[in-house]
């Protein structure tokens, strides 16, 4: 619906300006009012509707899986909403990394609903706490208090949340490892059946070795299953000297790519066609900037700036647009 409101705002704005230029002031102003309403409505949170295929699960298992799935999606949206409200760019960057890991895991369990039970710790502990801590950090920012106690709590919240993307990855690794072990067991049964029938390809030498799985790769010993990733803007020491680590880039989740592309086109169109009146700023929720554009519209400065911004939005890489502007 947000994309629909954006398109309606664009059409109403263009039509309104055209009518005002041709002396149909009343109708033109009415269309501009419609544009404002569409921009406002487009900023309201819109729930993403995704269906989970639970047809292959037993009734009791299906109900539990559906409830867990709905909670996981709701917590994902809570973190996403908090990420856009937080002004600390480093913190917002880290929440973006968390969301990227969460999107990968949620996409996987959406395709394999029988694995949702294995994601219980991620859903009911890690993501639930991540959502609460993100919201608390945003609330502390909104107070604009800079006492020692507030700064200390914010620093602890930040430090804790900086480990969540790895915790997400660890849970995803465990879920995958469980699936690999199930596959190994199934392959073992099939191989034994083939051997009983006298069928052999002369290459099988044990299902665990054939599948590349051994006791050292079980979930109990894998741990996180990957190297610790460098933290955003973290500093390490190399040969006694401080060296700033590489800033990790956020990638657009596959399930949001089409929505990001549409919003990129809408913002570009609003900036180029109606940027003089700050339409793209209102669409982004930056009302103060939008008002500033309206106040200065007679100078033509907002027009020139908005055209440049529109071109920039249009040619900006999708991942960069998602990180900086997607709401």
């Amino acid at each position: 619906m947000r994309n629909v409101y954006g398109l309606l705002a664009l059409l109403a704005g263009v039509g309104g300006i055209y009518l005002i230029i041709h002396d149909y002031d009343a109708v033109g102003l009415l269309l501009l009012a419609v544009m404002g309403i569409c921009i406002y409505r487009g900023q309201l949170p819109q729930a993403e509707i995704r269906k989970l295929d639970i047809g292959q699960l037993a009734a009791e298992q299906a109900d539990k899986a559906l409830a867990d799935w709905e909670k996981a999606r709701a917590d994902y949206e809570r973190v996403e909403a908090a990420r856009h409200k937080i002004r600390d760019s480093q913190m917002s960057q880290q929440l973006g990394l968390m969301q990227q890991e969460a999107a990968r895991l949620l996409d996987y369990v959406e395709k394999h609903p029988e694995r949702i039970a294995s994601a219980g710790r991620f859903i009911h502990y890690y993501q639930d706490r991540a959502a609460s801590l993100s919201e608390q950090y945003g609330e502390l920012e909104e107070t604009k208090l800079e006492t020692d106690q507030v700064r200390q709590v914010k620093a602890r919240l930040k430090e804790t949340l900086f480990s969540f993307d790895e915790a997400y990855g660890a849970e995803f690794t465990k879920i995958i490892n469980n699936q690999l072990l199930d596959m190994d067991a199934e392959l073992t049964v099939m191989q034994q059946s083939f051997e009983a029938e006298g069928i052999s390809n002369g290459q099988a030498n044990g299902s665990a070795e054939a599948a590349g799985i051994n006791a050292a790769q079980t979930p109990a010993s894998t741990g996180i299953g990957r190297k610790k990733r460098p933290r955003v803007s973290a500093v390490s020491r190399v040969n006694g000297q401080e060296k700033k680590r590489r800033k990790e880039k956020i990638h657009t989740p596959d399930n949001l790519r089409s929505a990001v592309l549409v919003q990129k086109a809408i913002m570009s169109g609003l900036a180029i066609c109606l940027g003089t009146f700050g339409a793209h700023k209102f669409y982004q929720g930056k009302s103060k900037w939008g008002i500033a554009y309206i106040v200065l519209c007679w100078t033509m400065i907002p027009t020139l700036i908005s055209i440049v911004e529109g071109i920039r939005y249009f040619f900006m890489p999708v991942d960069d647009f998602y990180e900086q502007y997607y709401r």
Side-chain angles (χ1 to χ4, degrees), residues 1-2 4-10 12 31-44 283:
M1 286 299 295
R2 180 179 296 171
V4 174
Y5 281 123
L7 291 173
L8 289 176
L10 178 60
L31 284 178
L32 290 179
V34 171
M35 180 196 73
I37 294 173
C38 290
I39 291 173
Y40 171 75
R41 293 291 299 177
Q43 290 302 308
L44 297 180
Y283 184 76

Side-chain angles (χ1 to χ4, degrees), residues 264-279:
K264 195 157 83 82
I266 291 174
M267 280 180 52
S268 178
L270 287 174
I272 293 173
C273 298
L274 299 172
T276 303
F277 306 103

Side-chain angles (χ1 to χ4, degrees), residues 65-83:
L66 187 59
D68 287 350
W69 168 255
E70 290 175 350
K71 174 174 173 51
R73 292 301 308 173
D75 286 340
Y76 180 92
E77 295 299 335
R78 287 173 61 194
V79 175
E80 191 69 8
R83 184 173 79 87

Side-chain angles (χ1 to χ4, degrees), residues 8-221:
L8 289 176
L10 178 60
L11 294 174
V14 172
I17 293 176
Y18 177 84
L19 291 173
I20 290 175
I21 291 174
H22 289 79
D23 297 329
Y24 294 95
D25 295 349
V27 180
L29 290 173
L30 179 61
L31 284 178
L32 290 179
V34 171
M35 180 196 73
I37 294 173
C38 290
I39 291 173
Y40 171 75
R41 293 291 299 177
Q43 290 302 308
L44 297 180
Q46 303 292 333
E48 184 180 356
I49 300 174
R50 300 181 68 177
K51 295 182 180 179
L52 187 68
D53 184 7
I54 55 177
Q56 302 298 322
L57 303 179
E60 183 176 348
Q61 187 181 9
D63 292 340
K64 179 67 166 57
L66 187 59
D68 287 350
W69 168 255
E70 290 175 350
K71 174 174 173 51
R73 292 301 308 173
D75 286 340
Y76 180 92
E77 295 299 335
R78 287 173 61 194
V79 175
E80 191 69 8
R83 184 173 79 87
H84 290 298
K85 291 180 181 179
I86 289 174
R87 295 186 296 273
D88 186 321
S89 60
Q90 190 181 51
M91 186 65 170
S92 180
Q93 177 86 5
Q94 176 58 24
L95 292 181
L97 293 175
M98 286 170 46
Q99 290 295 80
Q100 184 176 324
E101 294 290 340
R104 289 174 56 237
L105 197 155
L106 292 176
D107 285 343
Y108 175 81
V109 297
E110 182 184 18
K111 297 173 183 176
H112 304 277
E114 70 279 3
R115 300 286 169 186
I116 291 182
S118 301
R121 183 170 175 79
F122 163 76
I123 295 171
H124 296 287
Y125 181 68
Y126 284 123
Q127 197 180 35
D128 179 82
R129 296 309 302 151
S132 297
L133 293 176
S134 301
E135 291 170 344
Q136 290 172 19
Y137 190 94
E139 290 172 0
L140 284 177
E141 272 196 340
E142 289 178 358
T143 64
K144 298 182 180 180
L145 294 175
E146 292 297 334
T147 64
D148 291 340
Q149 186 175 6
V150 170
R151 283 195 293 267
Q152 183 179 4
V153 172
K154 285 171 67 177
R156 293 188 63 186
L157 283 170
K158 196 172 185 178
E159 181 181 359
T160 302
L161 285 167
F162 266 40
S163 298
F164 268 71
D165 60 315
E166 291 194 23
Y168 286 6
E171 292 303 307
F172 198 4
T173 300
K174 291 177 183 178
I175 296 171
I176 294 294
N177 281 343
N178 288 339
Q179 182 182 15
L180 293 178
L181 291 175
D182 290 345
M183 292 170 61
D184 178 52
E186 183 178 355
L187 291 172
T188 300
V189 173
M190 292 182 64
Q191 185 176 9
Q192 291 173 349
S193 177
F194 287 152
E195 291 175 352
E197 295 292 334
I199 302 173
S200 175
N201 60 9
Q203 297 177 354
N205 57 356
S207 59
E209 294 178 359
I213 301 173
N214 52 47
Q217 292 176 308
T218 60
S221 61

